[in-house]
C-alpha cells in the first residue's frame, strides 16, 4: 500500500548511490546477492537472540535490495536480474519468520507457521498476477521500474519491512503480531484474486 509513496522518497537518493556503485564496476546482481546474504545473517542473529544486530543487518540488507535496481538502471537491466531479485526477496521474507520460530519455538511455532503460509499464498497471487499481466501486455510504474508487474495490495514491501522491524523491537509479542499480519496477508491475497478475476476473467 505504501510502496508507491516510498518510491518517490527513496528513488532519488538510491539512484545517486547506484550510479556511483556502477562506476566502480559493481553489478546489480552482486548487490542483490549482498542484500540476501546480509538478510540471512540478520535471520541468524535473530535466531540466536541478538535482536539488535539482527535489526541493523535487516535494515542494511533492505537498502541493498533497493540499490540493486538503482545499479541496474545506471547500467542495464536484464530479465535474469529481475528474476534473481524476486527470488532473493522471497528467500529473505521467509527467513525472518523462521528465525523468530527458532528463537522461541514454544511460543512462536504455530504463529510462525501461519505467517509463512500467508506469505506463500500472497506470493502465489502476486506472481500469478504478474504472469497474466505480462501475457496481456499490462504495465505500471507506480512502484518504480520493475522487471515484473507489481500489483497493488494492502501489504507490500514497505509494510513487511516495518513489520519485521517491529518484531525485532518487541519480540515478546511475535505471536499476536504474526497472527495480525497473516490475516492482512490473507486479505491482500484474496483481494488480488478478485482483482485478477475482474481484469482477466473476460479476456
Amino acid at each position: 500500500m505504501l510502496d508507491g509513496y516510498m518510491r518517490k522518497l527513496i528513488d532519488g537518493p538510491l539512484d545517486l548511490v547506484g550510479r556511483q556503485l556502477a562506476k566502480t564496476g559493481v553489478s546489480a546482481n552482486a548487490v542483490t546477492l549482498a542484500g540476501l546474504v546480509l538478510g540471512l545473517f540478520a535471520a541468524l542473529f535473530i535466531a540466536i537472540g541478538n535482536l539488535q544486530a539482527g535489526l541493523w543487518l535487516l535494515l542494511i540488507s533492505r537498502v541493498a535490495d533497493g540499490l540493486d535496481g538503482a545499479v541496474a538502471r545506471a547500467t542495464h537491466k536484464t530479465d535474469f536480474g529481475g528474476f534473481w531479485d524476486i527470488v532473493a526477496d522471497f528467500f529473505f521474507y521467509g527467513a525472518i519468520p523462521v528465525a523468530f520460530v527458532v528463537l522461541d519455538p514454544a511460543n512462536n511455532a504455530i504463529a510462525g507457521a501461519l505467517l509463512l503460509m500467508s506469505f506463500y499464498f500472497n506470493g502465489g497471487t502476486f506472481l500469478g498476477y504478474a504472469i497474466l499481466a505480462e501475457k496481456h501486455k499490462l504495465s505500471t510504474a507506480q512502484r518504480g521500474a520493475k522487471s515484473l508487474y507489481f500489483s497493488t495490495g494492502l501489504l507490500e514491501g514497505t509494510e513487511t519491512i516495518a513489520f519485521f522491524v517491529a518484531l525485532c523491537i518487541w519480540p515478546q509479542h511475535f505471536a499476536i503480531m504474526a497472527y495480525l499480519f497473516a490475516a492482512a496477508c490473507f486479505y491482500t491475497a484474496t483481494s488480488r484474486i478478485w482483482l485478477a478475476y475482474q481484469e482477466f476473467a473476460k479476456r
Side-chain angles (χ1 to χ4, degrees):
M1 184 172 64
L2 297 177
D3 280 10
Y5 300 103
M6 285 299 296
R7 299 308 312 187
K8 296 176 183 178
L9 297 175
I10 66 176
D11 274 355
L14 286 176
D15 283 343
L16 180 62
V17 177
R19 287 193 293 270
Q20 298 305 313
L21 280 174
K23 290 178 181 178
T24 68
V26 174
S27 71
N29 290 338
V31 177
T32 301
L33 177 61
L36 174 59
V37 170
L38 287 167
L40 295 179
F41 269 105
L44 175 63
F45 276 99
I46 290 167
I48 64 176
N50 192 337
L51 279 298
Q52 185 175 22
L55 174 58
W56 281 110
L57 286 168
L58 186 156
L59 292 173
I60 297 169
S61 79
R62 293 307 86 195
V63 172
D65 180 57
L67 279 175
D68 60 2
V71 172
R73 289 190 292 274
T75 52
H76 62 279
K77 296 187 292 183
T78 66
D79 289 340
F80 176 78
F83 166 81
W84 173 224
D85 180 54
I86 199 70
V87 167
D89 282 349
F90 276 39
F91 194 0
F92 164 78
Y93 288 138
I96 299 301
V98 169
F100 280 98
V101 171
V102 173
L103 175 66
D104 188 358
N107 292 312
N108 295 348
I110 295 176
L114 183 67
L115 180 63
L116 288 171
M117 182 171 70
S118 74
F119 280 8
Y120 188 77
F121 181 36
N122 195 33
T125 64
F126 170 80
L127 293 176
Y129 197 102
I131 291 168
L132 290 177
E134 174 66 22
K135 178 180 178 181
H136 294 286
K137 308 302 181 184
L138 302 183
S139 63
T140 178
Q142 290 182 335
R143 277 129 191 89
K146 301 287 187 179
S147 297
L148 299 177
Y149 186 99
F150 274 57
S151 52
T152 59
L154 176 64
L155 297 181
E156 298 175 323
T158 301
E159 291 83 7
T160 307
I161 299 309
F163 168 61
F164 286 167
V165 169
L167 292 178
C168 289
I169 296 173
W170 300 290
Q172 69 274 21
H173 300 304
F174 173 86
I176 184 61
M177 288 193 285
Y179 285 132
L180 291 172
F181 199 83
C185 280
F186 284 122
Y187 173 82
T188 300
T190 303
S191 298
R192 190 175 286 118
I193 291 171
W194 176 242
L195 182 65
Y197 175 78
Q198 291 180 307
E199 182 68 42
F200 304 118
K202 297 181 180 179
R203 286 180 179 246

